Amino acid sequence: MPPIAKVVVEIALDREFDYQVPAELSASVRLGSRVQVPFGRTTARGYVVGFADHSARTDLKQIAALISPKPLLTETMLKLARWLADYYAATIEQAIRTLLPCAVRRKGAGFRERTLVTLAGALPDKTTLAALRRRSPKQAAILDILQQEGELPLAALLRAARTTPSAIRSLAEKKMVILARATAWRDPLADQVILPTEPLTLFPEQATALSLVKQAIDTLKPSVVLLHGVTGSGKTEVYLQAIRFCLDQGRGAIVLVPEIALTPQTVERFYSRFGEAIAVLHSHLSDGERHDEWYRIYEGRARVVIGARSALFAPVERLGLIVVDEEHESSYKQAESPRYNARDVAVMRGRLESCAVLLGSASPALESFCNARNGKYALCELTHRVDHRQMPRVRIVDLRQEAQPTTGAILIFSRELVAAIHQRLDQAEQVILFLNRRGFATTVLCPACGYVAVCTHCAVKMTYHKGADEVRCHICGRAQRPPARCPKCLAPTFKFSGIGTQRVEAISRAIFPKARIERMDSDTTTHKHAYSRILGDFKAGKIDILIGTQMIAKGLHFPGVTLVGVIYADLPLHLPDFRSAERTFQLLLQVAGRAGRGDVPGEVIVQTFAPFNPAIQAARRLDYLSFYDQELAARQELRYPPFAHLVCLTLSGLLAEAVQRAAQTLAERLEQILPKTVILSPPIPAPLSRAKGQYRFQIVMRSTSVKTMTAPLKETLKTTRFAPGVRIIVDVDALSMM
Ligand code: ADP
Ligand code: ZN
């Protein structure tokens, strides 16, 4: 080993430091090793990211100790960290931190040990045993249990024998049982009985897709396959069989699903096929469970990882395949630095690991489909549902026709929707009502003077929540009692206008008094098990109408649902974002996918004020290609993604003026050094101009190359001093521009 190690220290800023490798460690320090080093006056922990023969400095200190004997990061993962830091304009420590879960990095977390008890050999002879039974029946009972069950954890044995540790201790002293410490793997899937399943015989389109993916795995060259398949077309079965192929070749796989779709239902499907080879990583695991799952993968006990965004960084060796399900989902984007998109990083990891990447979706992101059209990705399509089950029929209801002419009040349920629900209820079928906004009313309005309750910390209207009888801000979470009188004109009456899921629930109960109705959104599922309970009840047919936000739109399979009602389809359409049409279309397609997954054909009713909007019309025809073509033309005209990369800079701070000045200074500096190929938009207040008390300004850059933007930006940020308290967020390939 060269005598000098380059170390990234966990606490330092985007720098590598040179250290001497002491002779006694030279055999064991490797790339990716976790080390303890002297740092300033204290010590710090860090990672070895490279080696060198020489250093510019002469006063090098020595590495103090090796923390973990085996490196936690492979050379490939270090490369990935460098790429992450570079591409997303983050620091190298932030990137490394992203690759390793906190529970693995932290000092305290570790394996849980427990004591296992086993028989020390055969049971004692008959006379000894008989004597024992007389003198101390408890001890005899312990031997009986061990005889039957084999090895048992101490706690379980105590429970089973209803006895105390002293009984076991005296058996150990007599050398009749052995106590041993062993790692107890925390198992997030413990206590679940899951029946194994066998691969299904594939339909021709599925078989074509599978053979393409197998080829991609086989070539040992990086390649990306985009699987565009309508909802219910059997994409998951293709994933399962591709993973089996990987395993048969001694390679591992990672499956990413959106957090919201990581339901027990989904995990069960993978577990039932691969059993113990599965590891699950998601945000509801305890630190200990996460630690153990990570090490099960690291040690090669688990070869298939299923999880949300961060599972992409799981230490799977000999990776053969990365699946990104619902690849268009915006939840793959991380909300803190490095603000990476797991779908894009998956493609990069695939390249570095020389493995196949399979992106699946019913409505691929424009970026991905464009890559497939250009031949960068291989494309395969599943054009119909399994068993040729019909796609649901989509009907558009024009809400403008439904407004009450006298009061102008909006009808939340059109006559068409009410009739359709009645019909489904009469036939004992199930209904989903979808609205992407929780709460009861969206605005608290004074009809006398027009006052609207707005959060004092954020530039958004407050939402009324009926059960708690309070108004809440959905940005910062502040809540307060609704004012008794209008704070402006003192009029005593308030009107609640607009709609949220809670209001939809209240009205549904009034219109369909006999129906069993439940609501599912982040307000009703704060309790850990509420989510599974509601889904379980719905699946078991104990609920007739399920009302919810996008929580119920994704990936769920309910054969009993024959009608999906979209209460108000235009919500995402009004967001000030160039992706609003794409969002609207994708969401409608997703929601529609929940209808008619069983034997009865499904129906979707979409209520809207913009019935002729192209995104809504394309959704009516469930026609991805025509949506894609028309939207792509618009993007090209405006030079938005996929025709350019976009970097969004958000500056925020408590003083509006300071933030604005900083934004202006930054824009001027950038203007001077950015190449002409970059389109720089002048600073403007962000659409969400104030959040949690902070004023927010935005600068947007666009260019075909990310580097032409981020390299000058990094330079500028290093050399420019902004007013204290002004924070800058750099979001490369931003998905939301709020
Ligand atoms: P997607 O992931 O595209 O939404 P799924 O993989 O969930 O679709 O498939 C929908 C349903 O069809 C599931 O219940 C699945 O078990 C079933 N299915 C998928 N492929 C086959 C097949 N080849 N033969 C029989 N049933 C299948
Ligand atoms: Zn607020």
Side-chain angles (χ1 to χ4, degrees):
M1 272 296 156
I4 292 163
K6 301 203 161 285
V7 175
V8 166
V9 176
E10 277 179 0
I11 49 175
L13 295 159
D14 211 13
R15 272 188 61 190
E16 293 170 16
F17 297 90
D18 290 354
Y19 285 91
Q20 254 171 356
V21 183
E24 70 271 19
L25 289 182
S26 76
S28 45
V29 168
R30 279 180 280 162
L31 212 56
S33 283
R34 192 127 193 269
V35 291
Q36 181 101 28
V37 291
F39 193 75
R41 290 206 200 139
T42 60
T43 61
R45 281 173 296 157
Y47 302 87
V48 175
V49 297
F51 290 100
D53 288 314
H54 306 285
S55 170
R57 301 185 56 144
T58 50
D59 55 343
L60 289 189
K61 294 182 179 159
Q62 287 197 337
I63 290 178
L66 191 62
I67 298 176
S68 48
K70 197 174 150 196
L72 292 183
L73 293 165
T74 60
E75 196 175 341
T76 313
M77 291 308 271
L78 280 174
K79 273 192 201 149
L80 192 64
R82 284 226 166 85
W83 180 83
L84 269 177
D86 207 41
Y87 188 89
Y88 291 105
T91 66
I92 182 78
E93 309 87 63
Q94 283 171 332
I96 288 182
R97 217 179 300 148
T98 306
L99 300 198
L100 295 171
C102 173
V104 172
R105 269 183 286 118
R106 234 189 24 207
K107 234 182 204 157
F111 292 102
R112 190 174 55 179
E113 289 213 323
R114 61 181 176 186
T115 304
L116 292 177
V117 188
T118 36
L119 281 178
L123 279 180
D125 59 72
K126 266 197 186 138
T127 38
T128 324
L129 206 54
L132 191 65
R133 275 193 210 293
R134 252 178 290 117
R135 249 185 309 113
S136 135
K138 290 254 146 130
Q139 292 183 21
I142 290 169
L143 294 182
D144 289 342
I145 291 168
L146 286 176
Q147 165 87 339
Q148 232 171 51
E149 305 279 327
E151 182 180 72
L152 272 183
L154 180 59
L157 182 59
L158 289 177
R159 244 178 287 128
R162 298 212 186 91
T163 177
T164 55
S166 68
I168 293 177
R169 210 169 306 127
S170 62
L171 280 173
E173 276 158 17
K174 283 183 257 180
K175 302 225 168 10
M176 290 182 179
V177 301
I178 299 173
L179 304 182
R181 301 288 289 167
T183 302
W185 295 95
R186 305 168 179 97
D187 181 1
L189 291 174
D191 325 322
Q192 285 191 42
V193 183
I194 298 172
L195 297 176
T197 58
E198 292 296 319
L200 303 169
T201 310
L202 295 184
F203 294 104
E205 280 187 336
Q206 285 177 310
T208 310
L210 179 65
S211 74
L212 203 65
V213 181
K214 278 184 176 173
Q215 249 172 44
I217 297 169
D218 250 345
T219 54
L220 294 175
K221 271 193 252 141
S223 48
V224 184
V225 178
L226 177 63
L227 180 56
H228 174 212
V230 298
T231 47
S233 58
K235 293 187 289 295
T236 310
E237 186 62 33
V238 176
Y239 306 157
L240 290 168
Q241 300 200 17
I243 294 167
R244 166 60 62 207
F245 180 76
C246 264
L247 289 177
D248 289 345
Q249 300 202 324
R251 303 176 76 185
I254 295 175
V255 183
L256 300 186
V257 297
E259 180 84 50
I260 207 166
L262 196 55
T263 57
Q265 250 187 349
T266 314
V267 174
E268 218 179 286
R269 268 180 97 175
F270 284 82
Y271 193 84
S272 61
R273 202 62 71 82
F274 304 113
E276 294 289 310
I278 290 280
V280 188
L281 292 173
H282 58 78
S283 63
H284 292 304
L285 296 185
S286 68
D287 264 6
E289 283 173 335
R290 205 188 314 264
H291 171 274
D292 285 8
E293 288 293 272
W294 194 90
Y295 273 98
R296 278 206 319 127
I297 303 161
Y298 181 70
E299 291 173 3
R301 294 159 186 262
R303 301 288 292 140
V304 180
V305 180
I306 174 163
R309 188 172 64 223
S310 65
L312 173 60
F313 303 113
V316 179
E317 264 181 42
R318 289 182 35 79
L319 192 58
L321 175 69
I322 306 174
V323 176
V324 185
D325 189 29
E326 312 281 7
E327 61 86 35
H328 64 278
E329 270 284 317
S330 50
S331 66
Y332 284 126
K333 184 93 163 131
Q334 159 119 327
E336 59 200 57
S337 189
R339 295 180 148 68
Y340 67 88
N341 185 323
R343 185 224 21 239
D344 299 335
V345 187
V347 172
M348 194 60 203
R349 182 167 181 190
R351 201 178 294 167
L352 293 173
E353 305 254 13
S354 291
C355 77
V357 177
L358 175 55
L359 309 178
S361 173
S363 50
L366 250 61
E367 287 86 340
S368 303
F369 202 74
C370 194
N371 278 331
R373 278 271 176 94
N374 293 341
K376 265 207 218 162
Y377 299 170
L379 176 66
C380 41
E381 314 233 18
L382 305 180
T383 50
H384 38 252
R385 287 185 161 180
V386 165
D387 272 348
H388 291 263
R389 236 167 249 151
Q390 279 170 37
M391 291 301 287
R393 198 163 71 93
V394 182
R395 268 196 283 163
I396 307 278
V397 173
D398 185 351
L399 281 180
R400 295 172 307 181
Q401 310 283 329
E402 296 273 339
Q404 287 171 345
T406 44
T407 62
I410 301 166
L411 238 118
I412 292 174
F413 283 90
S414 61
R415 277 154 294 185
E416 237 177 305
L417 182 56
V418 172
I421 295 174
H422 272 307
Q423 189 197 341
R424 298 298 169 175
L425 292 177
D426 288 347
Q427 295 166 10
E429 293 163 15
Q430 288 175 302
V431 176
I432 284 180
L433 296 178
F434 173 80
L435 178 67
N436 213 4
R437 188 150 62 185
R438 62 204 163 89
F440 189 76
T442 42
T443 47
V444 181
L445 177 90
C446 171
C449 74
Y451 164 87
V452 169
V454 173
C455 174
T456 50
H457 280 68
C458 311
V460 296
K461 291 178 207 144
M462 305 281 268
T463 302
Y464 180 59
H465 287 250
K466 198 175 183 195
D469 188 32
E470 53 185 28
V471 287
R472 272 185 220 156
C473 168
H474 284 186
I475 299 294
C476 71
R478 290 171 151 257
Q480 63 195 56
R481 292 261 158 266
R485 290 168 171 278
C486 170
K488 204 168 141 200
C489 73
L490 302 179
T493 45
F494 264 104
K495 208 171 123 189
F496 301 111
S497 70
I499 44 173
T501 42
Q502 208 183 3
R503 178 119 181 247
V504 173
E505 183 190 355
I507 297 174
S508 303
R509 288 191 191 283
I511 306 182
F512 312 104
K514 288 204 197 108
R516 293 160 300 171
I517 298 174
E518 284 264 11
R519 171 165 60 97
M520 184 150 100
D521 53 35
S522 53
D523 292 322
T524 62
T525 52
T526 46
H527 193 272
K528 199 177 161 191
H529 300 292
Y531 184 72
S532 327
R533 183 195 58 81
I534 297 176
L535 289 185
D537 282 357
F538 195 46
K539 188 149 205 184
K542 291 184 199 159
I543 297 171
D544 301 312
I545 303 178
L546 182 64
I547 298 163
T549 55
Q550 58 173 339
M551 241 185 206
I552 57 172
K554 309 281 162 81
L556 300 170
H557 182 67
F558 297 113
V561 175
T562 54
L563 173 66
V564 170
V566 179
I567 299 296
Y568 187 33
D570 318 358
L571 285 180
L573 216 49
H574 300 315
L575 294 176
D577 190 322
F578 71 90
R579 282 196 180 85
S580 59
E582 189 179 4
R583 290 272 154 67
T584 305
F585 176 76
Q586 283 169 341
L587 202 55
L588 286 177
L589 226 59
Q590 285 291 339
V591 181
R594 300 311 116 219
R597 291 174 77 98
D599 297 329
V600 185
E603 179 183 31
V604 181
I605 293 183
V606 176
Q607 306 193 126
T608 173
F609 286 100
F612 299 111
N613 179 286
I616 289 180
Q617 278 298 323
R620 180 179 68 77
R621 284 176 274 120
L622 300 172
D623 184 355
Y624 178 81
L625 287 182
S626 83
F627 173 77
Y628 170 82
D629 285 332
Q630 102 211 352
E631 182 66 14
L632 200 71
R635 299 277 183 92
Q636 183 158 29
E637 185 111 344
L638 299 167
R639 294 198 40 206
Y640 271 123
F643 296 95
H645 287 276
L646 180 149
V647 176
C648 179
L649 307 173
T650 306
L651 295 88
S652 60
L654 284 171
L655 299 169
E657 229 170 83
V659 181
Q660 184 168 19
R661 217 174 319 116
Q664 253 144 17
T665 311
L666 180 57
E668 280 160 23
R669 298 251 170 129
L670 285 172
E671 175 91 65
Q672 285 164 11
I673 62 167
L674 283 175
K676 289 281 161 291
T677 49
V678 178
I679 305 171
L680 176 71
S681 314
I684 48 161
L688 180 60
S689 60
R690 195 162 173 237
K692 301 178 190 174
Q694 305 258 327
Y695 289 90
R696 307 168 82 243
F697 276 78
Q698 242 172 33
I699 300 172
V700 174
M701 304 186 274
R702 281 173 289 153
S703 159
T704 48
S705 139
V706 168
K707 260 232 154 84
T708 60
M709 299 183 277
T710 48
L713 175 68
K714 269 192 168 177
E715 252 338 280
T716 312
L717 291 180
K718 247 184 225 160
T719 54
T720 314
R721 296 201 66 69
F722 299 103
V726 175
R727 224 166 72 89
I728 299 177
I729 286 172
V730 181
D731 193 353
V732 176
D733 294 337
L735 281 188
S736 155
M737 310 232 291
M738 293 303 283

